[in-house]
Amino acid sequence: MATEEWALPDEEDAAYDYEFEFDLENPFTSPADEPIASLLDAEAHHAPSVSAAASAARRDAVAFISKVRFSGELAVHPRVAYLALNYVDRFLSKRQLACEQQPWPRLLALSCLSLAAKMQRVATFSIDHIQRDEDFMFDAATVRRMERWVLGALEWRARSVTPFAFLSFFLSVCYPPPQHPPQVAAIKARAVDLLLRAQPEVKMAEFSPSVVAASALLAAAREVAAANLPAFQAGVAACPFVNSEKLRECGEVLAAACGVGPGRAAASADTPVTVLGHHRSASSASESDWTIGSATNGGGGAKKRCMGPPSQWG
């Protein structure tokens, strides 16, 4: 991880615009790409690896994204939140925040949410709106400058290769055409739920996107189509690029994070989980239960607008 000092780009350097239409399940734009070969080649460049030194910043960024994700009127689409946290993880794999206390991780999270919303063409996304409960607000120019720094750390590879991109491949291997059991759609839907729920657990970032996708689909198949599980397991095992030990380890982390697996009750996708994998019903959970880590809440006084971060971060 780079530790050299750095500063946000100057205002004039941030005078750019970008907007893409990006589907997490189809990250490539060229139909000439051979899907699985291209995905496997690209995932090595997109898989994050968050160090212990960055864990505090990540925890605070996750808290803010989770707060936005589950805050009713402020809520963003689950896949926007997923992509935003993916950007956070990829950024922290390449850069280190010297100022890891709030509100600087919130600036990172806010900028990644803004980028994710642009990538998925969310016209209703508002930087001011999702900050309205905070003690002070980052202005749009500061957020845009941070967006540029994030994109630089990502080497402008904003079309992240995530576990979502591997779902269709594994399903086609396990249920090759013309097979299409009714459970396939249900398995995929449940796997998506599990991916959304497990991502905040930092240990999930230790596994490649393909392994995470296979783990989520196996867990979903165990719940939805237990009778077909052996065939499903055989199909995944036949893929030479899937390491069986990593698959087992990832499955254990995912099960703990989502509260699923043998002897566990299946958790609702609408019930947020904490970093320890505990879950509560929506009727009994407090707002603090719906986040991971801790979030900075508004204190009821006049808001302060933050015009920018310190000139140098290390």
Side-chain angles (χ1 to χ4, degrees):
M1 177 181 295
T3 57
E4 72 274 8
E5 290 191 347
W6 57 275
L8 294 180
D10 293 334
E11 187 73 27
E12 59 268 24
D13 292 338
Y16 63 96
D17 196 13
Y18 45 86
E19 185 176 86
F20 309 97
E21 189 164 7
F22 170 54
D23 179 359
L24 284 169
E25 295 186 27
N26 298 286
F28 299 125
T29 57
S30 172
D33 288 329
E34 198 284 313
I36 190 60
S38 297
L39 287 172
L40 291 173
D41 181 63
E43 74 170 345
H45 301 288
H46 290 250
S49 178
V50 181
S51 70
S55 60
R58 185 192 193 268
R59 183 171 59 249
D60 288 343
V62 169
F64 183 74
I65 292 172
S66 297
K67 178 181 177 181
V68 172
R69 166 71 181 89
F70 292 108
S71 60
E73 184 184 350
L74 300 180
V76 298
H77 192 278
R79 295 200 182 198
V80 172
Y82 187 98
L83 183 58
L85 183 50
N86 173 269
Y87 289 159
V88 168
D89 285 342
R90 290 177 60 199
F91 176 86
L92 292 176
S93 296
K94 302 291 183 64
R95 299 287 187 270
Q96 180 173 326
L97 295 178
C99 301
E100 293 197 346
Q101 296 79 21
Q102 287 287 14
W104 310 120
R106 176 160 60 86
L107 174 59
L108 173 60
L110 181 64
S111 300
C112 289
L113 280 166
S114 179
L115 282 172
K118 290 174 181 176
M119 287 296 292
Q120 301 207 332
R121 292 185 178 271
V122 181
T124 58
F125 183 86
S126 166
I127 291 171
D128 285 348
H129 184 63
I130 68 172
Q131 294 186 91
R132 70 180 192 178
D133 292 335
E134 305 301 322
D135 288 329
F136 65 89
M137 301 169 65
F138 288 102
D139 67 352
T142 299
V143 173
R144 285 175 64 83
R145 291 165 65 195
M146 186 67 200
E147 287 177 14
R148 185 175 178 86
W149 187 252
V150 170
L151 288 170
L154 270 53
E155 299 177 341
W156 291 80
R157 291 171 169 162
R159 292 179 173 273
S160 289
V161 175
T162 70
F164 286 90
F166 291 89
L167 295 179
S168 293
F169 168 77
F170 282 119
L171 286 171
S172 68
V173 167
C174 299
Y175 295 103
Q179 293 186 65
H180 196 77
Q183 298 99 330
V184 169
I187 291 172
K188 182 178 179 180
R190 181 55 178 156
V192 168
D193 292 341
L194 293 173
L195 290 174
L196 294 172
R197 292 174 56 77
Q199 189 198 25
E201 168 55 62
V202 67
K203 290 183 179 179
M204 292 299 296
E206 298 176 4
F207 305 100
S208 66
S210 56
V211 168
V212 174
S215 298
L217 284 168
L218 285 172
R222 184 177 291 109
E223 292 182 11
V224 176
N228 294 334
L229 182 60
F232 203 99
Q233 291 172 322
V236 172
C239 299
F241 57 86
V242 177
N243 181 287
S244 59
E245 182 60 22
K246 289 293 185 182
L247 184 64
R248 181 191 63 79
E249 293 175 2
C250 184
E252 291 176 354
V253 173
L254 184 142
C258 297
V260 299
R264 297 173 181 266
S268 165
D270 296 327
T271 307
V273 285
T274 69
V275 74
L276 297 178
H278 301 303
H279 57 279
R280 296 174 173 83
S281 67
S283 61
S284 63
S286 65
E287 182 173 325
S288 62
D289 294 326
W290 285 30
T291 63
I292 297 159
S294 57
T296 303
N297 297 318
K303 292 183 184 292
K304 299 178 182 179
R305 183 169 289 272
C306 180
M307 302 304 290
S311 59
Q312 294 289 327
W313 296 5

